[in-house]
Amino acid sequence: MSSLNQALSVALDNRQSLLVELHAQGTDCYRLFHGSQEGASGLTIDRYGPQLLVQTFHNTLDRDALLALHAAINAHLGLALMLVYNDRSHGNSRIDRTDAVYKAEDAALEDLVGHEWGLNYRVRGRHAGQDPLLFLDLRNARGWVKDHAKGKSVLNLFAYTCGVGLSAAAGGAREVCNLDFAEGNLAVGRENGKLNPHLPDMGFIQSDYFPAIRQLAGLPIASRRGQKLPSYARLEQRQFDLVLLDPPAWAKSAFGTVDLLRDYQSLLKPALLTTAENGVLICCNNLAKVSMDDWRDQVLRCANKIGRPVRDCQVLTPGVDFPSMDQQPPLKTLILQL
Ligand SMILES: C[S@@+](CC[C@H](N)C(=O)[O-])C[C@H]1O[C@@H](n2cnc3c(N)ncnc32)[C@H](O)[C@@H]1O
């Protein structure tokens, strides 16, 4: 057995009880191999419903290795998952897609449906973006939101494909609003809504974060060095009972820079002000080099400074399909009761 297959076999064994639990709760989207922590840095293997998504970030996988791990996983799960391999080791994939294995079967590339916490999600092995349409390490946060959204107004910031919004709707939120500047991501969010027709409709705001959150928070929108700002959606000042702030590590727009290393505060402050008294703000930081202790101190200090002290702060960790040897998972999540 190759060392990769050996590492995979250990990873699958370690997930035995988790998979039983996930299947029982209506989840068939999860990580089967988290290479950086399980013996093959730069390789991830995820199940998305009927699809097995293999991704490499450092080195391309050769054909035989790919076929061997596909066969081993299907045998272990007793399923016939359809393989999609996306090599992201050189920016965009450069593997030879004339090869049938690398190309993937047509059926594997169709619009498919995966499930999490009993909800249906659009799954697409290849699409205009690089990332899969559902970030699996946020599953526990979506579960928390589903369990705590009843009767609440919910604002999902940096909504991507609106998984958190969908979870809130499923949990009985009275209102759900998803905000993101990327039309394509919100379009998948709308699809996710349609895939769950029993749920109430969600709201969508297509806007840059900075002008939107500052208007909601009642803060002025500053232009940088007197430069004229592009037009932006007008919003009334208001607060929500439950707010989710899960930004990307870094992104620049005409209105500001999302920078989780150097300036979390400029994202956090308006989000705190947009959270109602006695409300909850769930905030995340997915940058591995930021430690939980430092970041939590920063968050709590910022809340104190703007007069919205945190009454209770709970740490939420990703599921055990995202193991971390040092107990410091890159995705850090805090549930702040204000
Ligand atoms: C890492 S994803 C967030 C994941 C998401 N919270 C989830 O539940 O899966 C980053 C998202 O932020 C959006 N984004 C990045 N910069 C933005 C900005 N300045 N304003 C609004 N959305 C932004 C991107 O379009 C993308 O959908």
Side-chain angles (χ1 to χ4, degrees):
M1 205 194 257
S2 73
S3 61
L4 174 57
N5 280 8
Q6 233 156 2
L8 176 62
S9 163
V10 172
L12 293 174
D13 284 346
N14 287 343
R15 284 163 174 72
Q16 253 349 343
S17 57
L18 174 73
L19 295 196
V20 172
E21 200 185 301
L22 292 178
H23 294 161
Q25 74 187 206
T27 296
D28 62 13
C29 298
Y30 39 75
R31 178 147 294 185
L32 287 164
F33 188 70
H34 189 52
S36 64
Q37 303 292 306
E38 296 186 288
S41 180
L43 169 66
T44 61
I45 307 177
D46 297 319
R47 176 180 177 192
Y48 280 95
Q51 184 188 80
L52 188 70
L53 180 64
V54 179
Q55 299 185 91
T56 44
F57 297 84
H58 302 159
N59 302 305
T60 304
L61 258 188
D62 72 50
R63 206 174 176 281
D64 289 346
L66 190 57
L67 290 173
L69 64 82
H70 183 206
I73 288 170
N74 274 344
H76 183 88
L77 295 178
L79 294 169
L81 300 179
M82 297 180 285
L83 177 66
V84 175
Y85 171 46
N86 289 339
D87 177 32
R88 298 167 63 175
S89 59
H90 302 97
N92 278 310
S93 179
R94 294 189 187 165
I95 50 170
D96 176 10
R97 288 258 169 83
T98 55
D99 182 306
V101 174
Y102 286 147
K103 182 169 167 278
E105 287 169 24
D106 289 347
L109 296 177
E110 277 175 13
D111 285 358
L112 300 171
V113 176
H115 306 90
E116 189 195 80
W117 298 109
L119 298 171
N120 302 325
Y121 284 92
R122 172 59 73 223
V123 167
R124 237 175 235 134
R126 295 200 188 116
H127 57 93
Q130 288 256 7
D131 291 319
L133 299 179
L134 189 67
F135 287 109
L136 301 178
D137 51 355
L138 203 64
R139 181 178 62 243
N140 283 345
R142 287 186 288 266
W144 195 96
V145 167
K146 188 164 177 260
D147 285 346
H148 294 85
K150 200 165 183 55
K152 305 231 165 102
S153 56
V154 178
L155 177 63
N156 181 19
L157 299 164
F158 300 95
Y160 190 46
T161 55
C162 309
V164 170
L166 197 71
S167 306
R174 80 180 137 79
E175 177 191 4
V176 176
C177 191
N178 296 291
L179 188 144
D180 200 286
F181 69 7
E183 194 183 333
N185 295 344
L186 292 178
V188 179
R190 287 196 178 87
E191 264 183 271
N192 283 335
K194 290 209 177 81
L195 286 172
N196 296 274
H198 59 292
L199 298 183
D201 287 345
M202 300 188 283
F204 301 88
I205 300 175
Q206 191 196 339
S207 170
D208 191 283
Y209 177 74
F210 292 104
I213 197 73
R214 292 185 72 85
Q215 289 178 87
L216 291 170
L219 297 170
I221 299 167
S223 71
R224 283 186 299 178
R225 295 186 213 97
Q227 281 169 2
K228 194 171 177 307
L229 290 171
S231 63
Y232 51 85
R234 302 292 154 152
L235 300 170
E236 294 292 319
Q237 179 178 356
R238 66 163 291 190
Q239 293 186 317
F240 291 80
D241 303 321
L242 176 52
V243 177
L244 185 287
L245 173 64
D246 175 29
W250 195 88
K252 197 174 165 72
S253 76
F255 294 94
T257 303
V258 175
D259 184 344
L260 302 197
L261 181 64
R262 288 171 204 83
D263 189 11
Y264 199 85
Q265 287 91 320
S266 65
L267 304 175
L268 182 65
K269 179 179 162 186
L272 283 161
L273 295 173
T274 307
T275 307
E277 206 69 50
N278 293 315
V280 176
L281 172 65
I282 305 177
C283 56
C284 304
N285 189 327
N286 61 22
L287 208 59
K289 61 181 155 196
V290 173
S291 81
M292 172 58 96
D293 287 347
D294 290 349
W295 178 60
R296 182 176 34 206
D297 283 354
Q298 233 181 66
V299 165
L300 298 179
R301 251 185 289 123
C302 175
N304 274 333
K305 198 169 148 199
I306 64 161
R308 296 301 311 276
V310 173
R311 287 185 293 118
D312 184 65
C313 172
Q314 183 192 334
V315 174
L316 197 64
T317 52
V320 297
D321 49 338
F322 285 82
S324 69
M325 299 312 159
D326 60 358
Q327 308 307 317
Q328 296 281 331
L331 178 64
K332 296 160 283 294
T333 303
L334 293 174
I335 300 174
L336 311 176
Q337 309 274 350
L338 299 181

